[in-house]
Every structure is written in C-alpha cells, then in structure tokens.
Amino acid sequence: MRRFVIGQAKNLIDQTRRRRPQPHHHNNLRLLSLLRPSASDSTTVSSPRLFSSSSSDMPGSDSSSSSSIPVTLDSINPKVLKCEYAVRGEIVSIAQRLQDDLKTNKDAYPFDEIIYCNIGNPQSLGQQPITFFREVLALCSHTALLDESATHGLFSSDSIDRAWKILDQIPGKATGAYSHSQGIKGLRDAIAAGIEARDGFPADPNDIFMTDGASPGVHMMMQLLISSEKDGILCPIPQYPLYSASIALHGGSLVPYYLDEASGWGLEISELKKQLEDAKSKGITVRALAVINPGNPTGQVLSEENQRDIVDFCKKEGLVLLADEVYQENVYVPDKKFHSFKKVARSMGYGEKDISLVSFQSISKGYYGECGKRGGYMEVTGFTSDVREQIYKVASVNLCSNISGQILASLVMSPPKPGDDSYDSYIAEKEGILSSLATRAKTLEEALNKLDGVTCNRAEGAMYLFPCINLPQKAIAAAEAAKTAPDAFYCKRLLNATGIVVVPGSGFRQVPGTWHFRCTILPQEDKIPAIVNRLTEFHKSFMDEFRD
Amino acid sequence: MSLKALDYESLNENVKNCQYAVRGELYLRASELQKEGKKIIFTNVGNPHALGQKPLTFPRQVVALCQAPFLLDNPNVGMIFPADAIARAKHYLSLTSGGLGAYSDSRGLPGVRKEVAEFIQRRDGYPSDPELIFLTDGASKGVMQILNCIIRNQKDGILVPVPQYPLYSATISLLGGTLVPYYLEETDNWGLDVNNLRQSVAQARSQGITVRAMVIINPGNPTGQCLSEANLREILKFCCDERLVLLGDEVYQQNIYQDERPFISSKKVLMDMGAPLSKEVQLISFHTVSKGYWGECGQRGGYFEMTNIPPRTVEEIYKVASIALSPNVSAQIFMGLMVSPPKPGDISYDQFVRESKGILESLRRRARIMTDGFNSCKNVVCNFTEGAMYSFPQIKLPPKAIQAAKQAGKVPDVFYCLKLLEATGISTVPGSGFGQKEGVFHLRTTILPAEEEMPEIMESFKKFNDEFMSQYGDNFGYSRM
C-alpha cells in the first residue's frame, strides 16, 4: 500500500540482477523430506500415574464421587476459580456489550465509539504492520508465489531472498509441518545471532525455546518451579496479571515486592530482601524473581546499576531470574536504555554456572506489535542439561509453536540491514511508530498530571501509563456501596461516560489504599486530543460529584 | 547452600512424572543414523507435510493475502491470486479488528466461530452455538485447557483408551491427575466394550478415585478404528449413568478409508438420542486443522465445542483462555477455510476438490497397501486402518526374541523396532509408548510416506520381519494371508 510504487520500480530494476529461484526448490520436496528429520514427534509414552500400577499411594475413598456432576462451578479445579486476569475482565465485558449496543442505539450514548486502552494490542487500534515482515510471511505462507514472475513486481527483492533463505532452513520447506519442539533450528540460529548482536555476548540457539507468544513460556517455567503453595515467586507489585494468574493456576504463592511509585517505580533491593525474609518466615521457599523491564503496567526502565544489584541478589539467594523483556524495543526517553539481564550478568563476569536466567521475548510488542501471530521465545541459560530436558519434554507435549509466529520471531531479531532493498522503508516505518508512541506517551502523561488529584509517572518504556488517582472518601464510600473496588468504580464510570476502556489498578495489585488505572498509549495519534478532552471532562465531573 | 530452584531434584514432580518420549530411544537412534548419512523413513509422526504432502492451494492463497493485506490494494494482485481467494481474504480481514496482527477475542474471532457453528450444524443436522465454540492453537491446547478445569488433584481420574495418544497421559500427569485406562479389544477391531469401561470405573472407585471424564479418540489414534453409531450410543449412555464428561477427540473426522462406518460425531449421536440424555451429557468435542486432507500441523489451529456445560463453567474456561490472550489469528482463518471450503461454481472449486480428493484417495490406497503388507508378514497381524493416519500391527514376538531383548536390556517391542530401524531405515514407534496389554507387542507407523514409495517400504519391512522371525522363531510362525 504505502510503498508500492517505489517498491515496484525497485523490483523492476533489481530483477535483472536477482538470484533466480532454482527449479529444484520445488521439484524435490518429497525427497528432501525423506532425507531430513521431521524433528518433532507426536508419539511414544508410557503411562503416567496409572491407578492400577500405583494404587498404594492413593488416598482413601471419596464417597461422594459418583453422584457429582463433572463440570459445574462447584467441581472444577479450584485453582482455575482462584486465578484472575483483569486485562480482559468485567470492564472489558461491559465495553463489548456497549459496543454491540452502539451499533443499533447510537443516540443513547454520549460517545460514538469504544476506545480500547485496556490491552497492548496496537494493530487493533490501527497500527500498521511492518511491510517487510509481512511480505516474507506472505511468501512463506504460499510458497508457490516464489515461482511466479509477477511476484517480483509485487514484493521487495530482499523479502523474496529472505523467504527463500527461511524456506531452505525448514525441512522439506514444509511450513505446514510440525517443527522441532524448540522451534526450527535455522530460525533459532537467526535469533541467537540477533541476541549476540544486541548484547555483545554469545547466545546459543539450543538455549532458545520458541513459544506461541511469551505467555506460554512463562507458564512453562511456573509449571517447572511450582510444586505446591509452599513454592513462592517474587513478583513486582504492580504486576502484569499473567504472573498472578499463572502462579494461581499452578498452585504456588505470589510473593509480592512493591515498586516505589515516588521514585519512578524504583525497585529497591532492601524491599526484595525484606519480602524474601518475610516469605521464608511463613515457610515459603522462594524459587524465582520475576522482573518486568521495561515495566508493565508501570512503564519504568531499570538502570544498569539497579540490574546489577538484582543479578547479585538472585545469585546470592539462589533464585531463578525470570526476566520479562518483551518491551525491549519500547523505550521512549533519551536518558534510559534497555539492557538485557543476560548482558548485565555476563558483563559482571557471571557465566552459566553463576546464575539461572530466563529471558522472555515476544513479537506482540516492540514497534512490530504482532499480537495476533502468537510468536515469542525464551532464552534459558544457567540450567543443567537434565532440567533442560524437562523443559523440552513439557514443550514437546504441545508439539511446537505456530510456524508463522516462529518466522516472525526470527525476522524481528534479524531485520533488514543497511543496503537491503527494504532497509529505508523498514527504518522509516519503525521510527515512525516508535516516535509516535513516544509523543503519545508524553501527551497523555501530561494530560493526566493536569487532572485534580492525579499523579502519573512518565512512561519511560513499554506501552502503558499507570496514574495514581487520589479518590475522595465519598467516591470510595459509593464504590463500597456498589460492592466494587474504588478504582473499578472509577473505571466503569469512565467507560460509561466516555467509551474509554482502561483497567483498574486493583487488577495489577497496588499498595493498599492507593488507586490507579492502566491506560495504554496505543490509540492513534489523531485520536489522542479527543481522548484527553473526554478524560479531562469526565474526571472533572466525577470529582465534582464526589468531592469531600 | 540448599538446592537451587531449578536443580533437577527440586523440580515439580508432576513435570518429572510426565512421559512424552518424543526423544525416545527410537527417535534418537533414527536421528543419529540420519546424521551418519543413512536414509531414514520417518513414519513416527502424523505430520503429512513433512513427508511431502503439498498444502491445499486455496487456503494458502487466502492466508498469504491476509499476511500481506497491502497486496489487496495493488492493481496487479489478480495476476497471482484468483478472485475468490481475494474475496475470501477480504472477508476474513473484515472479521478481524486489525488483521492478523491483533489479538482476537480470547475465544477466537466471532465470525470464524460462527462459520464453525454452521459447519457443525450442516454436519450433524442440529444447531450449534458459536458462543460455545472456542478456537485454540491446535487441538492439544484445547485438551489441556479442559483437563486443567477438570483435574483438581490425584484423586480425580480420567478414563483414557489404551492404546492411547500420549497427549492424554502426558497432560494428566502434568496436571497431577490419575489416568484410568480402559482397554480396546484388538480382536474385535479395537472395539470399545462398555463392560470393560464399567470394570475400569468400578476398580478406580474402589481405590478412591473420582472418575470425572472419559476420552474417546474417533477415528482412533494409534488404532485407526471408527466407532459405530451403536457403540457411541452405549458410550454416551454410560457417561450419563456415571456422570462423566465425554471428551471426544474427533480430529481425524475427515480421514475415513472405508464406507461401512462413516464418521459420525458424538454430538449428533447424543442429539439423536433425545431428552433427557441430550440435555444432560456433558460433551466437549475437539477438532484441528492439522489432520484431515489439510494436514496443516504447523499452523496450530483447532477448536472445541461444548455441549451441556453450564454457563458459569463456560465463563471460567473463557477466563483461562483469556490468560493466553488469543489463539493465533492466521490459524483461525485456516479453521474458517476448513469449515467453509470453496463451493461449486467458485473459481477455485475444481482445483480444491481435485487436490483434496487426490490426498484422501491416496491415503485410502496407502492404508490398504500398508495393512495388507503387514498381514502378509510372518507373525504380524494388523487390523485395517479404517480411519486416522496410523497402522498399529501386532508383532507376535517369539520367546527367543523376547529372551534376546531381555539380554539386551530392552523392552521387546523396542528391541524389534530398533532392529527394524537399523536394517531398513524405517523409523516407527514401539507399541509400549501407547500402552498395550501385557505380553503383546505392537508398533505404530503412519500411512503417510509417499504412495509410490509404499510398496518398496513394505517389501523391505517384510524382508526384515521374516528374517527376524526365522532368526528367533521356532518355525511355528504364520501369516494371516
């Protein structure tokens, strides 16, 4: 769309010097696949806990068993009941109902559209995908295109080259086949090279496990770490509810550490120590520390010095460091830079034997924002081989992550380089998105800080603002009367008055007695002024209504 | 200092107990041999495209256009895409909010779920509610989500057929539940005897297990049988009597290689039975884009449909799905295309029919070649592969072979499969990986190698087997044919 005319002209020129696709690429598919391994396997097992073979460890009879209906609320797994995921909770359900009703009942509302600021889903709010990435994916989705001469007029030359390169790395060029359960080896090579280029320290493709988004990777690690409620995971508060939800689903204990709002959501080692000791005194074995950098929902970017302290803390306490680094490309302020925990640990001289570290990355965030693809990876270092085999086994039960997500994960870690046909347009698209996000973050932050009783730290990174609202006592009392958390009360009123969907701070947890909401910075730039106006107007009338 | 968090000793025991011998001895040895340059025929995974099956053209065209929506604005797009693919791509993009790059509803795109519901309604003749259909990243994810809701602790038991597809045993282990086996009757063409089920349940209960759900795989994996309508009725009645959720793994519903027993869904049979059963039995059916003549394993697309599940439970299942945000959108579109393929009169219709029929008819012939091939071998009996993608022959190992296996420290069917691999390059999975009755031995192969290579493969299998049987046999061997 955006760059077709230029693209086509370029392609015509390039066509003469382009590597012609070789005919064998398609003729020997079958032969190749017979010669190469189909790395993932859906097979073999011996029985798990077969009751007949292990009856001795079974507890006594449950007399009520035969009469219970299997899947009612009373009889489903209580861990399922316990977990919560507010990003898609009650307020979002209300918003969806409003949206449906708006179609037929437009005059009943003081707004004409619902603006979803509840979730980091950029492309649903109009962000365009990076053209080069999608060209490569389209070619890999329908490989017959590579044999069509007209394709050269429709696609950039480096996207065609890249598609060939990727297909050559897939056994049998079969993008419709299950891959190795860790992901296609050639794509992991590209990711490892990307990590190496980013950090300046080596990365091993065998350490990489590709996943359907970052979330399944987090689940996998929780599954490994948590055996019972005696196992604790240190999580930041406020936190992204994936952590609380997956800890609840696996039956573990969330051990909170509070970020200091007054110092820009700072992470104090003394706080970590205090909470660790506190958990120990309750009989909880703390097994890992989750750090989200840049922060979600809090948007802070950790300083390198702070990261070094965190690494030392984990090393000293024998904790696995779970580094959620999915917003690594989303940094908006010149005084902060993203540093991966692996780079920090390695630059401190700590190697495999010193610290167990898992770094999560996703294609859903960054400037690419490809949420619907469900692609991501985790890089696991500092694990013994028997533990890694267990991770591999758990990954293999789900066979593999989706192939187009895998391809895209390799692309974001090895984007076009200077001199490539797509390089200029790629850079223009990327910079355009990132600088616009920075502008939006700044505009929204300033607007929020102007509101009566609202303070908001700047979004140094990630995709969110997390303002603190100093709610009047009357509003708190009204919320209690309505049996909702005060911040949820505020957010529902905001939704009903403006159509803006945000997530109450209680969904992320917060210091007791403080109230927040999370708002993404993702609505398109031209919508921001209207959002600011509506928000300002609503807040004023809300405060007028409830002022003490 | 005490154990570190991820020292092997301190890992979650459920993880360690879970068995999914993907890198089992056979597979590892096959990979090694391959590295040494030996030609390996991988018949161990139901992964058709990896063995050369070409993807259907039309769905790949539609998804390519959805991947690169800017092509739709290009006046030259018609040079490389047919008009119906372009129209369909526009249709699916209109169902999304932000194309393939945006999270969808956690249950999947409403428009695609509607198409799935219409498909189910056409297939079964009964209405289907899109609100009770959740799209998933492959059927496995759906099975895991549902079992996660059902299993509370190790006192909760799930009835699983033996032989079974190891997804079930592995997931039950991971979730800390108990697998309650029921044996399929090999001599009755892998039939399911309800008396066996009753016995299994009674025995489990006597040991304090609350049996909560029953898994059926129809058509069967690894066993390839298709359940009859009468059999399905018995099963549903049994689930009703015993208050069990029925989990119907119906991912091979397109893969049918005989005409006597076409696929019939559990949902249709349940609805045919009428009230009160049709209103009581809790049923969850699973489907996927990985099997059938699609074989799009790498897309990770699937769905499950819930019947008679109370709304508040559906809400909980929705909540758990929402933690994973959404299934991948391109696979959702594959699912939409699978349930609403080109229609007569569409530009791509003839090609689509030609391709899909070609695949299915070839699979049918391959199922026959393979089963007949096995049955012509000494001491091998194999039920006909009525459906799915696998043959599961029984290998009657002579006492001397069992003795030799013991001496080598191997399970007898592993011993046999290793020898087969070394001699022929055919990589199979020993029956012990799926569970089998004590003292009988099997192997599983897919029927997926290319048709033209099939006779040669079966010939080399026969040569190996008959020599093996002569080497270890007492000359009492027989063959069915």
Side-chain angles (χ1 to χ4, degrees):
Chain A
M1 181 160 53
R2 291 168 305 287
R3 37 182 286 276
F4 254 106
V5 182
I6 305 168
Q8 276 170 19
K10 264 187 178 168
N11 286 338
L12 284 172
I13 299 163
D14 288 349
Q15 227 159 345
T16 48
R17 53 186 163 87
R18 182 179 302 113
R19 171 173 74 99
R20 293 293 303 175
Q22 299 304 306
H24 75 259
H25 275 299
H26 279 264
N27 294 341
N28 61 357
L29 272 181
R30 195 176 41 71
L31 187 68
L32 272 177
S33 62
L34 284 174
L35 292 173
R36 294 192 195 180
S38 57
S40 121
D41 181 348
S42 65
T43 44
T44 27
V45 82
S46 56
S47 14
R49 190 182 287 124
L50 282 170
F51 83 90
S52 49
S53 60
S54 62
S55 51
S56 56
D57 62 358
M58 288 300 148
S61 174
D62 177 354
S63 56
S64 68
S65 59
S66 61
S67 61
S68 62
I69 294 176
V71 196
T72 64
L73 212 53
D74 312 324
S75 66
I76 67 174
N77 183 352
K79 293 172 201 161
V80 166
L81 287 177
K82 208 176 145 195
C83 81
E84 279 175 37
Y85 193 71
V87 174
R88 292 206 155 175
E90 189 198 353
I91 298 216
V92 184
S93 306
I94 300 173
Q96 281 164 350
R97 278 204 297 278
L98 287 177
Q99 188 169 30
D100 286 343
D101 200 39
L102 262 177
K103 285 176 200 152
T104 50
N105 222 348
K106 222 166 170 105
D107 301 334
Y109 299 96
F111 47 85
D112 46 21
E113 64 171 333
I114 300 291
I115 299 174
Y116 288 97
C117 299
N118 58 306
I119 187 166
N121 193 7
Q123 294 193 27
S124 74
L125 295 178
Q127 181 177 310
Q128 293 301 309
I130 300 292
T131 308
F132 172 78
F133 295 164
R134 291 302 193 91
E135 286 179 315
V136 176
L137 283 177
L139 293 167
C140 292
S141 289
H142 184 42
T143 52
L145 289 175
L146 291 163
D147 295 335
E148 302 263 357
S149 57
T151 298
H152 298 293
L154 288 158
F155 289 82
S156 63
S157 67
D158 55 341
S159 71
I160 293 173
D161 290 346
R162 188 68 79 90
W164 275 122
K165 201 176 149 207
I166 288 170
L167 289 173
D168 285 339
Q169 290 165 340
I170 301 177
K173 298 186 175 35
T175 52
Y178 295 128
S179 73
H180 187 286
S181 295
Q182 275 183 258
I184 294 162
K185 172 68 166 51
L187 302 179
R188 285 186 279 132
D189 290 340
I191 290 171
I195 295 172
E196 219 166 299
R198 180 193 71 194
D199 292 346
F201 291 95
D204 181 346
N206 294 319
D207 290 343
I208 290 166
F209 289 76
M210 299 180 85
T211 48
D212 288 309
S215 307
V218 172
H219 277 293
M220 246 190 272
M221 293 315 299
M222 293 302 175
Q223 191 147 44
L224 232 65
L225 287 162
I226 297 172
S227 304
S228 73
E229 73 262 13
K230 293 276 173 221
D231 289 320
I233 310 291
L234 269 165
C235 287
I237 300 295
Q239 53 110 27
Y240 174 52
L242 165 66
Y243 293 93
S244 50
S246 65
I247 291 168
L249 269 182
H250 292 106
S253 292
L254 186 152
V255 179
Y257 64 90
Y258 288 89
L259 302 174
D260 180 24
E261 184 162 13
S263 66
W265 300 113
L267 194 167
E268 300 290 340
I269 301 298
S270 57
E271 166 73 3
L272 290 177
K273 280 189 183 137
K274 191 183 114 202
Q275 297 292 354
L276 180 70
E277 290 311 315
D278 193 41
K280 277 186 190 166
S281 74
K282 292 177 185 154
I284 291 173
T285 311
V286 178
R287 316 200 65 200
L289 167 69
V291 179
I292 311 175
N293 180 45
N296 176 4
T298 42
Q300 83 286 14
V301 178
L302 297 177
S303 72
E304 207 175 343
E305 192 192 344
N306 200 185
Q307 288 183 279
R308 280 198 289 268
D309 293 340
I310 293 166
V311 168
D312 267 330
F313 175 78
C314 287
K315 181 174 183 295
K316 184 161 162 278
E317 302 293 345
L319 302 179
V320 179
L321 179 52
L322 302 174
D324 181 334
E325 302 182 323
V326 302
Y327 296 101
Q328 56 188 269
E329 301 270 7
N330 298 94
V331 178
Y332 310 119
V333 292
D335 53 322
K336 288 288 180 78
K337 254 186 90 175
F338 169 78
H339 302 280
S340 76
F341 270 104
K342 180 158 164 249
K343 172 184 159 185
V344 171
R346 295 293 176 267
S347 61
M348 292 166 79
Y350 295 152
E352 285 277 336
K353 292 220 162 66
D354 300 302
I355 183 164
S356 304
L357 172 63
V358 185
S359 164
F360 300 96
Q361 165 69 317
S362 166
I363 58 174
S364 304
K365 309 303 168 188
Y367 56 91
Y368 21 89
E370 293 273 16
C371 300
K373 300 287 184 200
R374 314 311 290 123
Y377 69 80
M378 56 179 183
E379 184 193 15
V380 300
T381 54
F383 292 80
T384 54
S385 62
D386 49 359
V387 173
R388 288 172 39 140
E389 272 169 33
Q390 297 294 318
I391 302 175
Y392 179 81
K393 184 179 71 184
V394 174
S396 70
V397 178
N398 190 46
L399 300 164
C400 67
S401 60
N402 84 83
I403 304 297
S404 57
Q406 290 188 28
I407 292 172
L408 194 44
S410 83
L411 292 174
V412 306
M413 297 305 284
S414 56
K417 291 187 178 51
D420 291 350
D421 184 21
S422 296
Y423 181 74
D424 291 343
S425 66
Y426 159 74
I427 286 292
E429 290 174 358
K430 173 182 169 178
E431 297 298 329
I433 289 167
L434 285 175
S435 68
S436 171
L437 285 173
T439 310
R440 289 178 248 172
K442 191 88 198 109
T443 312
L444 280 171
E445 176 221 314
E446 282 169 0
L448 284 164
N449 274 317
K450 278 186 196 143
L451 303 181
D452 180 20
V454 174
T455 51
C456 185
N457 282 323
R458 64 178 183 162
E460 298 172 342
M463 294 181 169
Y464 315 97
L465 290 160
F466 198 64
C468 180
I469 0 164
N470 197 351
L471 290 173
Q473 278 310 314
K474 253 169 90 180
I476 293 172
E480 271 162 16
K483 294 201 168 69
T484 25
D487 48 10
F489 178 77
Y490 179 91
C491 294
K492 277 186 215 170
R493 297 279 294 240
L494 173 67
L495 170 61
N496 284 317
T498 65
I500 300 171
V501 192
V502 297
V503 186
S506 42
F508 304 89
R509 302 218 203 167
Q510 51 203 345
V511 172
T514 67
W515 308 108
H516 299 79
F517 64 82
R518 186 186 83 166
C519 176
T520 71
I521 57 168
L522 297 174
Q524 288 300 294
E525 229 174 302
D526 56 356
K527 292 215 163 128
I528 298 283
I531 292 173
V532 167
N533 284 342
R534 287 202 234 163
L535 188 63
T536 308
E537 225 169 275
F538 160 77
H539 185 77
K540 191 170 171 303
S541 71
F542 182 91
M543 293 305 269
D544 287 346
E545 184 180 346
F546 292 103
R547 205 178 304 278
D548 294 323
Chain B
M1 210 177 66
S2 59
L3 282 177
K4 283 206 289 184
L6 276 179
D7 285 342
Y8 184 77
E9 294 70 24
S10 56
L11 291 185
N12 182 349
E13 288 297 322
N14 290 339
V15 169
K16 286 192 262 183
N17 288 337
C18 152
Q19 293 290 321
Y20 199 77
V22 170
R23 297 193 301 173
E25 195 174 357
L26 255 293
Y27 177 70
L28 285 178
R29 183 68 191 132
S31 304
E32 261 173 48
L33 287 172
Q34 190 179 40
K35 273 186 198 140
E36 290 164 15
K38 188 175 172 71
K39 179 177 169 178
I40 301 297
I41 301 150
F42 283 95
T43 71
N44 54 331
V45 201
N47 195 7
H49 292 200
L51 288 176
Q53 181 179 310
K54 291 259 172 63
L56 300 169
T57 304
F58 180 73
R60 290 300 191 107
Q61 288 171 329
V62 174
V63 171
L65 285 164
C66 293
Q67 296 278 18
F70 41 83
L71 291 176
L72 294 168
D73 300 326
N74 189 298
N76 295 326
V77 66
M79 290 168 68
I80 48 175
F81 290 97
D84 56 347
I86 294 170
R88 197 64 89 83
K90 286 181 178 163
H91 162 70
Y92 283 116
L93 287 173
S94 78
L95 299 180
T96 67
S97 63
L100 299 192
Y103 294 128
S104 70
D105 186 298
S106 301
R107 297 164 293 189
L109 295 164
V112 172
R113 285 154 59 213
K114 190 166 154 273
E115 290 178 3
V116 171
E118 286 161 2
F119 154 76
I120 293 173
Q121 188 157 348
R122 278 197 309 277
R123 184 194 66 190
D124 294 344
Y126 292 100
S128 167
D129 181 355
E131 292 296 303
L132 299 176
I133 293 165
F134 285 20
L135 305 182
T136 52
D137 285 315
S140 305
K141 277 271 170 73
V143 168
M144 290 177 194
Q145 276 172 25
I146 296 299
L147 286 175
N148 192 16
C149 285
I150 295 175
I151 295 172
R152 297 164 298 189
N153 54 50
Q154 68 178 52
K155 286 162 77 177
D156 283 338
I158 310 292
L159 271 168
V160 174
V162 174
Q164 56 114 21
Y165 175 52
L167 164 69
Y168 294 96
S169 49
T171 307
I172 293 167
S173 274
L174 276 178
L175 295 168
T178 295
L179 186 150
V180 181
Y182 66 89
Y183 287 91
L184 301 175
E185 265 320 313
E186 182 164 15
T187 50
D188 187 24
N189 203 20
W190 298 114
L192 195 167
D193 182 348
V194 175
N195 290 324
N196 279 351
L197 281 176
R198 280 206 185 91
Q199 251 176 23
S200 292
V201 169
Q203 202 185 337
R205 286 201 178 125
S206 74
Q207 301 190 35
I209 305 294
T210 310
V211 181
R212 310 198 69 211
M214 169 173 177
V215 174
I216 55 170
I217 310 174
N218 179 37
N221 176 5
T223 40
Q225 83 287 13
C226 295
L227 294 178
S228 69
E229 189 174 347
N231 211 180
L232 282 165
R233 281 170 178 273
E234 286 181 304
I235 292 165
L236 285 158
K237 177 79 174 40
F238 174 78
C239 287
C240 185
D241 292 346
E242 304 292 341
R243 327 279 296 163
L244 303 177
V245 190
L246 182 63
L247 306 180
D249 179 336
E250 302 181 332
V251 300
Y252 296 101
Q253 56 187 272
Q254 287 179 339
N255 298 92
I256 307 293
Y257 311 123
Q258 38 73 42
D259 302 314
E260 299 78 51
R261 264 197 297 286
F263 170 76
I264 176 162
S265 77
S266 308
K267 167 112 180 279
K268 175 173 164 47
V269 175
L270 178 61
M271 292 301 127
D272 283 347
M273 289 170 87
L277 255 78
S278 61
K279 300 223 180 296
E280 271 180 28
V281 175
Q282 297 187 327
L283 167 68
I284 298 174
S285 332
F286 301 90
H287 201 3
T288 183
V289 299
S290 303
K291 308 300 170 187
Y293 43 82
W294 289 67
E296 289 280 8
C297 300
Q299 312 298 341
R300 314 311 290 123
Y303 76 77
F304 59 85
E305 185 198 21
M306 296 170 277
T307 307
N308 296 326
I309 307 295
R312 286 167 72 200
T313 303
V314 174
E315 279 292 305
E316 291 296 318
I317 297 171
Y318 179 21
K319 182 181 74 184
V320 173
S322 77
I323 300 168
L325 298 162
S326 77
N328 87 79
V329 178
S330 51
Q332 296 185 40
I333 290 171
F334 270 103
M335 182 52 85
L337 288 159
M338 187 172 102
V339 297
S340 52
K343 291 184 184 53
D346 292 353
I347 301 165
S348 299
Y349 177 75
D350 288 346
Q351 185 188 21
F352 184 84
V353 170
R354 196 169 58 245
E355 290 174 351
S356 53
K357 262 193 151 171
I359 292 166
L360 262 189
E361 280 166 5
S362 168
L363 282 172
R364 185 185 268 244
R365 289 190 295 268
R366 284 182 261 173
R368 181 45 75 189
I369 297 171
M370 199 157 237
T371 318
D372 288 351
F374 283 131
N375 280 322
S376 74
C377 296
K378 202 170 167 185
N379 289 357
V380 178
V381 278
C382 185
N383 284 321
F384 176 59
T385 300
E386 299 177 338
M389 293 181 170
Y390 313 97
S391 282
F392 198 63
Q394 186 184 142
I395 315 292
K396 307 212 167 196
L397 293 173
K400 273 190 200 164
I402 296 174
Q403 195 61 34
K406 267 192 192 140
Q407 271 164 15
K410 308 272 182 214
V411 177
D413 53 8
V414 174
F415 177 77
Y416 177 90
C417 291
L418 277 171
K419 292 252 175 202
L420 170 68
L421 173 67
E422 305 277 349
T424 64
I426 303 172
S427 162
T428 59
V429 186
S432 45
F434 304 90
Q436 54 199 353
K437 285 190 175 162
E438 209 173 317
V440 294
F441 304 102
H442 299 83
L443 59 85
R444 188 185 87 164
T445 65
T446 67
I447 57 166
L448 298 174
E451 192 175 343
E452 61 270 28
E453 305 204 351
M454 208 59 120
E456 196 191 321
I457 292 171
M458 294 319 291
E459 206 171 293
S460 89
F461 177 86
K462 183 175 166 56
K463 183 164 172 287
F464 158 78
N465 176 77
D466 292 359
E467 279 172 19
F468 179 96
M469 292 302 167
S470 309
Q471 187 188 343
Y472 293 102
D474 308 311
N475 295 322
F476 293 124
Y478 66 95
S479 86
R480 196 183 254 187
M481 288 170 78

